[in-house]
Amino acid sequence: MTTEPGVTGGDLAAFAQLDHDRARRRGYPEAVYCAGKTPAQLAAIAAEVRDRGAATLFTRIDAGQVEAVLGELPQARYHEDARLIAWPAVPPAPSGGLVAVLAAGTSDLPVAREAALTASYLGRAYELVVDVGVAGLHRVLDRLELLRRARVVVVVAGMDGALPSVVAGLVSAPVVAVPTSVGYGASFGGLAALLAMLNACAPGVAVVNIDNGYGAGHLAAQIAAP
């Protein structure tokens, strides 16, 4: 069996072209989506990131890929629960408004953590609130003071996906809704939650893709910018 030269690693130009101008152009650096990439490809990308000195998030990284990135960026920080590697390891000093991130259930926490950490590494302060789903509405009502201090609220929920509508009816800040693939068979891998959030009756709800914590955290960081 033959392998096309450079495709599995080594020759970066054969499989990736990093957007080093993005931070200047948009105000936020590029992120590397790790799913589907080989360890050799990620090692080459990480080496380029190191050589350029560019702040970068490696998202959706699995256990078999971590060593490849940390081998080139040993001082980076691996957040196992969020499947995220951040380089540099320490977030910038926060500026702008507060990002509140709500996880409806404990099973939604990995996506919520991805959103919160993304906002943090893009320069925003965040508060993470866990297990406040609509099955016990008093739990989210107990956090109203925090929610009403936030510039933007990220709401992460699977199952029936009802929590963003509830939150948006209680606060003046925009709500970024994140459907997750958490749920039983009729949730269709998060499709039921996605459709519920797209049909939110409360105004001011924006919806990102299923399990897209990075996209939600990035949008929240932009909304909460100074």
Side-chain angles (χ1 to χ4, degrees):
M1 183 179 70
T2 61
T3 301
E4 185 179 347
V7 171
T8 57
D11 182 8
L12 182 66
F15 58 84
Q17 183 174 334
L18 301 187
D19 187 356
H20 296 295
D21 185 57
R22 189 175 301 186
R24 182 202 62 80
R25 191 175 71 248
R26 299 200 63 237
Y28 302 93
E30 182 178 23
V32 176
Y33 179 71
C34 297
K37 293 181 174 65
T38 67
Q41 289 170 341
L42 287 172
I45 290 169
E48 173 80 359
V49 166
R50 179 200 63 222
D51 293 345
R52 291 277 189 150
T56 305
L57 295 178
F58 293 80
T59 69
R60 291 307 163 99
I61 193 161
D62 64 36
Q65 299 170 315
V66 171
E67 185 177 345
V69 174
L70 294 184
E72 301 294 337
L73 297 168
Q75 295 180 321
R77 184 170 181 184
Y78 173 40
H79 298 271
E80 183 177 5
D81 53 350
R83 297 172 61 188
L84 184 79
I85 288 180
W87 191 80
V90 179
S95 61
L98 175 68
V99 176
V101 181
L102 275 60
T106 306
S107 297
D108 301 305
L109 188 54
V111 176
R113 283 277 291 161
E114 182 183 35
L117 289 168
T118 296
S120 175
Y121 280 103
L122 295 182
R124 306 292 167 258
Y126 74 87
E127 292 277 354
L128 179 62
V129 179
V130 179
D131 202 16
V132 288
V134 297
L137 196 56
H138 61 285
R139 297 177 297 187
V140 73
L141 295 176
D142 286 343
R143 308 309 294 268
L144 271 181
E145 189 276 330
L146 166 64
L147 299 183
R148 288 174 174 166
R149 280 194 291 110
R151 179 83 60 82
V152 56
V153 182
V154 177
V155 181
V156 183
M159 297 288 188
D160 55 13
L163 187 59
S165 287
V166 172
V167 172
L170 295 170
V171 302
S172 61
V175 170
V176 180
V178 191
T180 70
S181 51
V182 171
Y184 295 103
S187 71
F188 298 107
L191 183 59
L194 172 65
L195 294 176
M197 292 175 184
L198 287 172
N199 285 283
C201 60
V205 177
V207 186
V208 300
N209 208 345
I210 297 168
D211 291 335
N212 188 10
Y214 169 77
H218 198 296
L219 178 57
Q222 290 180 272
I223 294 170

